[in-house]
Every structure is written in structure tokens, then in C-alpha cells.
Amino acid sequence: PAQPVDMAAYAQATLAAVAQLVDGPAVVLGYHTGVYVATEMAIARPELIDRLVLIGIPYFQALDFDFWKAKLAARHELTDGLDQFAERWAYFITDRHAAVTLERGFANFVDELKAWPNGWWAHDAMFAYDSDTRLPMVRQPVLILNPEGHLAPASRAAGVLLPLAIVQEMPDLSGPVLETAPSHLAAAITAWLA
């Protein structure tokens, strides 16, 4: 977007794409910030969104909200120095999970830079999202896949707010699970959908 938007706007943009791709109800997967895009989609268009799969719910109300907001929604300004990318380079390259190849880590780094310096807008919208009010409005069945990590307790707490949610604990998984365990996640999702 040309300026910061809220979760409802992210959801509307995504709904427009989904409506063009499918004829009937869709199952939507949301990961981290995308969880709130997915839940907002389900609230806005229940006839189009049949079920939700959520991973890593950013329900920071169950954690240290102010700490995480300062960390994740920090504003960036484009400068002519490479040091502005040091933290992201460390996250995607230097300190990446052992199962993530250097090439994949670099691709993820480049992808994130495409939104620089405005990538923080999505996290800002995430922290402004009224999850305590909005999550109970989701009427679709929800599968919460809950790998180990800092968002595991938050996902459990958010699961209580979702009327038709089940939490599937995944204690053997941690880190960037979409990168490291896609077949494991797919098997859990397929079993639930069946």
C-alpha cells in the first residue's frame, strides 16, 4: 500500500484475490501477522471462508505486549548505509535455522527488503488489531497448529477466544516450521480437513 493500512484493508485485498481464485468456500492458512488477516477475512466474508488454519498466533496480550511491539513494529527509515539491514541479515542469514539453506535464507532476506522501509506497517496494524473483540467473532472451524516457541503460549490463549478452535500441539517442531517441516504441517492439515 502507499500508506499504512489496518488489518481490515489487508483482509479486503486478500479476499479480492481469493474471490478471483476460487468458486466456492476456501480454507485459509494464516501464519503470525497473517493470522489476523485470515481471521478478519473470515469475519468479513463468512460465505467465502470455510475454515481457518492458524500457526503462531501473535496474541501478544498473553506475553509482553510493549516489548514485542517495540521490537516488531519499530519504524525504519531508508538510509545510504548497510548497517540498517544488519539485524535482518543476522535473522535470515547469519543466525538462520540449520535446516534453512543459505540460498533460501538469502531469498527470504531479499523478499523482506522489497517492503523496506515500510515493512513495519503490517506489524503496526497487527498490534493495533483488537484481537480480544475480533477473535470471538470468527464462526468458522479453526485448527491451531502450535509448534514450540515464544508464540506457543500466546496461541493457546488466543485459542480460547475462538469459538470453534482446536489446538494441535506440535512439541517436536520449532523455528521456521513452514521452511523446515512443510510435509508435517500438510499432513496435520489434511487429516483435519478430512
Side-chain angles (χ1 to χ4, degrees):
Q3 60 196 18
V5 297
D6 61 11
M7 279 295 154
Y10 285 113
Q12 288 302 319
T14 309
L15 280 165
V18 170
Q20 291 182 8
L21 294 171
V22 299
D23 293 328
V27 177
V28 176
L29 185 145
Y31 184 89
H32 200 277
T33 312
V35 162
Y36 291 157
V37 176
T39 57
E40 199 58 27
M41 290 169 68
I43 295 166
R45 293 284 307 276
E47 77 285 359
L48 182 62
I49 308 303
D50 184 54
R51 289 184 266 182
L52 299 175
V53 178
L54 308 177
I55 306 171
I57 300 177
Y59 186 66
F60 289 108
Q61 291 81 344
L63 304 174
D64 187 338
F65 186 89
D66 293 332
F67 168 81
W68 286 104
K69 183 176 181 182
K71 179 179 175 69
L72 297 177
R75 297 171 190 264
H76 300 120
E77 298 295 331
L78 184 62
T79 69
D80 59 3
L82 285 174
D83 58 328
Q84 66 189 308
F85 306 120
E87 187 274 333
R88 296 285 76 197
W89 182 265
Y91 180 80
F92 287 113
I93 305 297
T94 312
D95 302 333
R96 72 185 185 281
H97 190 280
V100 177
T101 67
L102 176 60
E103 291 77 14
R104 181 63 179 159
F106 184 71
N108 289 337
F109 175 74
V110 170
D111 192 49
E112 180 146 321
L113 290 189
K114 291 176 184 177
W116 196 270
N118 301 326
W120 64 271
W121 290 353
H123 281 157
D124 196 51
M126 175 186 71
F127 283 102
Y129 188 66
D130 186 2
S131 52
D132 287 324
T133 300
R134 303 301 284 172
L135 293 181
M137 296 173 71
V138 174
R139 297 294 177 224
Q140 294 86 338
V142 177
L143 172 64
I144 299 171
L145 298 179
N146 200 25
E148 283 301 309
H150 71 282
L151 288 179
S155 295
R156 286 184 207 103
V160 173
L161 299 174
L162 291 155
L164 299 176
I166 61 167
V167 177
Q168 184 172 336
E169 299 292 342
M170 302 185 118
D172 296 337
L173 300 182
S174 63
V177 295
L178 292 177
E179 298 280 351
T180 62
S183 59
H184 193 86
L185 298 174
I189 294 167
T190 301
W192 180 67
L193 292 175

